[in-house]
Amino acid sequence: MPAHHAFWPRRLPHSITPPATSLWHNLAISALRYPSRPALVFFGRTVTYQELAQGAERLAAQLHALGVQRGDRVVLCMQNCPQLVLAHFAILRANAVVVPVNPMNRAEELKHYITDPDARVAITTADLAPELAKASNALPQGQGLQHLVATQFTDAFDADVAGADAPPAAWNDWLKTTYPLPVLEGGAVHAWAELLAGTSAPPAHAVGPDDLAVLPYTSGTTGLPKGCMHPHRSIMHNAVASALWGNASAENVTLAVVPMFHITGMVSVMHSTIYTGATLVIMPRWDRDLAGRLISRWKVTAWTNIPTMVIDLLASPNFAQYDLSSLNYIGGGGAAMPQAVAQRLLEHYGLRYAEGYGLTETAAPSHSNPPDHPKQQCLGIPFMSTDARVVDPDTLQPMPVGEQGEIVIHGPEVFDGYWKRPDATEAAFVDIEGRRFFRTGDLGRVDEDGYFFITDRLKRMINASGFKVWPAEVEALMFRHPAIQEACIISMRDAYRGESAKAVVVLRRSHQDTTEQDIIDWCRENMAVYKVPRAVQFVDALPKSGSGKVMWRMLQEAETPK
C-alpha cells in the first residue's frame, strides 16, 4: 500500500469512474435538478441554473449561425463574470473548443492566440475588445478573426446596486462604463445582448468524452506558448474529483475569485461547482474588502485562492467586521502558504489550509493535501486516480524517500499533448513500467508519509503570486523594442509576490539615452502586467558560453546568491 493511503480520506475511493458524457451535460443536468437554484451571483444579481443553461443554448445557436462547427476553436478572453461561465458552456454546447486567454494579454501577445489555434471567433468584454481587434487587424489577410462578440459588464448586473453587494468605488468607471465597440477589419463585431436575444435552436450536441473540449495555453523554456489539448474526460475527472475531495454538495457556496481563464479556476472552481449544482459568487478581480463582504453576505462555504489573497484579507483594517464562520473549506496553490498564516487560520477559525499542486497539462490538481490531514508548505499527496513519482531526471529510476528528483505524473487528468507540437509532446512524456508519465519539469521529494514537496525547477520559470512568467516569452517580446540589442530575464525577490521578473538589458549604441522607466512603460503597453519586469539593469554585454548561449544562470546567481 502506498504510504499516503494511510492519510487518505476514509470516505473516498482512491480512484473514480467519471461520467462518460461531455462537460455540457453537467450544466444541463444541474439545470434539470435545480432549475431555480442560484448558479451565479454577481454584484447582487443572481442567475439560476435554468437561466444559465437556457442562455448558453441561445448563445450556442448564435455561434453556430456565425459558422462555428464541431471542433472549431473559439477564443474566450474575459475577467471573471457571469458572461464567462455562460460563454464557456455555450462553446461546449456548440460542439466547439474553448480557448481560454488571459485578459491581461496585450495585442502583440493576443496575435498568437488567434493564429495558433486557427480561431475565427472570439468572445470578450467590451473593455478588452479593442485589444483583440487591434491584434486581429494587424494579422495578414485571412488569418484574423471573422467575428468578435463583446459584452458590457452591466449586461450582468445592475449599475445602481448598493450596499454589501456593490463593487468597490474604485471599480465604478471600469465596470459601469458602456464601451464603444471597435472595428474588426474583414469581420463583424456583435453586441452580446443582441446575440442573447436570439431564439433559434442550437445544433445537436454531438461530442463526447474523447473530443477536444479546452485548449489552454502554457509557455515554456523556449518559443511561444503551447496549447494543451484537454478532452472532455480529463476536465471531467478533475471537476468530479475536486467536488468529492472538498466534500462539496449542491448546498455549497463557492467564492470564485481565482481567474476562471486559468486552469485552477476553470476546473476546480467553475466546472466542479456546476457539476455539483452549487452556487458561484463571482469576483472579477481581487479586492480584500469585497471578498470579506461577499463571504459574510452570501455565507460562502468554500474558497480556493492564492495564499497572497488570504494574507491580504487578514491584513485589512476592516477584517474584524467580516464573518468567516460559514467557511468549511479553504485551500489553493500557486505559491506556498506561510506557516504563520496557516497557523492563524487554524487557531482562530478552525480552518486547515489545504495546499495543492498541478499544471495546465494536468487540468489543475495532480496533488492535493487531504483536508483532514494537510501538511503546511506541502504539495500534498497524489490526487484521485493518479500515480505520481519522484525519479532521477536522467535515468528515470525512482528516488529514495527524502531525495530530490523530477516529479512525473500518470492519470486521467493528464492532457493528450500539445496542439500542433508533436515534438514537444514527445519530449513531455516518458514510459515507466508500461505507463505514460508526464514530465513536470519540477524537482521535488517525497517524505516517509508519501507527501510531496517541491524543491526546485528544471524549467526556467518565475512564479509571481501564482502567475507563471516564462523568461523566454518575455525576452522574445522585449527584442521588439527598438532600443534593445539583447535582454535576459531573471527572477528577483519580491516581498509580496514572492518573485518578480527583472530584465538585464544591453542597449543599442543608437539608443543609449533609453531609461529604465522607458523600458518598463513599453513593456506595460506590449505584455500582460504580471510579466512586466519590475526592474531593469543595463549592462555592456551579457555573459555567454563558448557556443554563444546567454548564461542566464550566472546572472540569476548574482541576483540571488545561495
Side-chain angles (χ1 to χ4, degrees):
M1 183 179 75
H4 68 268
H5 281 191
F7 303 94
W8 195 268
R10 295 185 64 183
R11 60 191 168 81
L12 295 178
H14 295 125
S15 63
I16 61 170
T17 303
T21 51
S22 80
L23 295 164
W24 160 256
H25 286 101
N26 292 344
L27 173 56
I29 290 168
S30 289
L32 286 172
R33 287 175 171 168
Y34 313 110
S36 60
R37 182 186 295 281
L40 313 175
V41 175
F42 189 64
F43 297 126
R45 183 183 293 184
T46 61
V47 177
T48 67
Y49 268 94
Q50 185 175 63
E51 291 168 340
L52 179 59
Q54 290 174 347
E57 292 214 301
R58 288 197 302 273
L59 183 56
Q62 297 300 314
L63 292 175
H64 184 67
L66 296 179
V68 174
Q69 301 293 315
R70 180 174 179 171
D72 285 353
R73 281 74 56 200
V74 178
V75 168
L76 180 55
C77 181
M78 289 188 187
Q79 302 272 21
N80 285 1
C81 58
Q83 297 95 314
L84 183 153
V85 182
L86 192 153
H88 185 102
F89 280 92
I91 295 167
L92 298 175
R93 174 62 183 84
N95 303 307
V97 179
V98 180
V99 181
V101 173
N102 188 332
M104 289 188 275
N105 280 321
R106 307 307 296 265
E108 199 60 45
E109 298 161 302
L110 290 168
K111 292 177 185 177
H112 181 65
Y113 299 103
I114 297 171
T115 58
D116 192 66
D118 302 306
R120 295 293 174 261
V121 178
I123 307 175
T124 189
T125 46
D127 60 319
L128 303 175
E131 207 70 23
L132 265 166
K134 180 181 177 182
S136 180
N137 294 344
L139 293 170
Q141 187 174 2
Q143 293 186 24
L145 296 169
Q146 294 172 356
H147 298 281
L148 179 59
V149 180
T151 178
Q152 309 289 344
F153 282 106
T154 47
D155 289 336
F157 80 103
D158 182 354
D160 295 326
V161 63
D165 285 319
W171 293 1
N172 282 342
D173 288 345
W174 167 50
L175 291 173
K176 297 180 181 181
T177 296
T178 298
Y179 296 88
L181 300 184
V183 173
L184 184 66
E185 295 174 9
V189 180
H190 309 270
W192 173 273
E194 293 176 10
L195 290 190
L196 264 289
T199 57
S200 57
H205 188 60
V207 297
D210 294 328
D211 286 289
L212 190 60
V214 182
L215 190 67
Y217 275 73
T218 184
S219 295
T221 52
T222 59
L224 293 165
K226 303 183 291 292
C228 296
M229 296 188 291
H230 274 290
H232 287 262
R233 57 177 153 75
S234 61
I235 304 294
M236 179 72 81
H237 177 276
N238 270 9
V240 176
S242 294
L244 291 168
W245 196 256
N247 208 26
S249 73
E251 310 308 318
N252 264 40
V253 179
T254 298
L255 185 65
V257 62
V258 290
M260 290 187 286
F261 70 81
H262 186 269
I263 199 71
T264 298
M266 182 200 312
V267 179
S268 295
V269 179
M270 180 179 70
H271 273 289
S272 185
T273 300
I274 297 299
Y275 168 76
T276 56
T279 300
L280 280 171
V281 178
I282 298 174
M283 290 179 61
R285 291 179 181 172
W286 172 248
D287 179 275
R288 63 187 183 185
D289 291 305
L290 176 61
R293 293 202 312 270
L294 292 177
I295 292 171
S296 307
R297 163 81 169 85
W298 292 95
K299 305 298 180 189
V300 168
T301 60
W303 180 22
T304 297
N305 54 58
I306 298 166
T308 50
M309 294 177 178
V310 179
I311 296 166
D312 197 31
L313 176 60
L314 295 178
S316 169
N318 304 312
F319 182 72
Q321 302 172 19
Y322 306 134
D323 179 9
L324 303 189
S325 62
S326 59
L327 283 171
N328 56 44
Y329 175 83
I330 184 169
M337 168 61 79
Q339 188 171 1
V341 178
Q343 199 63 32
R344 183 180 172 191
L345 284 173
L346 178 60
E347 292 176 359
H348 291 269
Y349 311 105
L351 294 170
R352 297 180 182 274
Y353 191 88
E355 293 185 48
Y357 166 80
L359 302 98
T360 305
E361 290 91 340
T362 64
S366 63
H367 295 67
S368 190
N369 272 275
D372 299 333
H373 295 283
K375 291 191 178 186
Q376 294 177 357
Q377 297 185 319
C378 170
L379 304 182
I381 61 178
F383 205 42
M384 302 176 87
S385 315
T386 302
D387 180 358
R389 307 180 185 185
V390 173
V391 301
D392 183 296
D394 298 318
T395 68
L396 303 180
Q397 292 301 305
M399 299 300 294
V401 169
E403 292 197 21
Q404 177 176 278
E406 183 179 2
I407 300 171
V408 295
I409 299 164
H410 168 84
E413 74 272 42
V414 176
F415 75 137
D416 284 353
Y418 294 111
W419 175 258
K420 296 182 180 176
R421 293 291 305 275
D423 55 334
T425 300
E426 185 178 357
F429 288 94
V430 293
D431 184 275
I432 301 176
E433 299 173 1
R435 288 181 156 189
R436 187 173 182 248
F437 279 80
F438 170 63
R439 303 189 69 157
T440 67
D442 286 328
L443 297 177
R445 62 178 176 84
V446 180
D447 69 10
E448 62 280 0
D449 295 328
Y451 283 68
F452 282 61
F453 294 80
I454 199 163
T455 54
D456 205 346
R457 304 185 189 114
L458 280 173
K459 296 177 182 176
R460 184 182 167 208
M461 187 264 287
I462 299 165
N463 189 339
S465 289
F467 284 108
K468 291 182 178 179
V469 179
W470 297 94
E473 183 185 357
V474 179
E475 289 164 3
L477 288 165
M478 290 187 71
F479 276 120
R480 297 174 184 172
H481 190 294
I484 293 177
Q485 179 174 312
E486 292 183 291
C488 181
I489 297 295
I490 59 174
S491 168
M492 60 183 284
R493 292 195 179 109
D494 188 307
Y496 179 67
R497 303 166 87 206
E499 296 178 312
S500 286
K502 175 180 177 178
V504 183
V505 170
V506 177
L507 291 174
R508 297 185 185 278
R509 288 187 177 181
S510 56
H511 291 75
Q512 291 294 311
D513 57 346
T514 303
T515 67
E516 177 182 25
Q517 195 59 47
D518 290 338
I519 299 290
I520 292 173
D521 289 345
W522 183 91
C523 287
R524 284 187 174 275
E525 292 176 7
N526 287 275
M527 65 184 76
V529 67
Y530 68 91
K531 300 176 190 173
V532 174
R534 293 295 180 99
V536 177
Q537 176 186 348
F538 294 114
V539 296
D540 293 332
L542 297 177
K544 293 178 182 170
S545 67
S547 62
K549 291 184 178 179
V550 174
M551 299 173 68
W552 65 269
R553 286 187 186 277
M554 182 181 294
L555 296 171
Q556 186 63 69
E557 288 169 3
E559 176 69 22
T560 52
K562 293 184 178 180

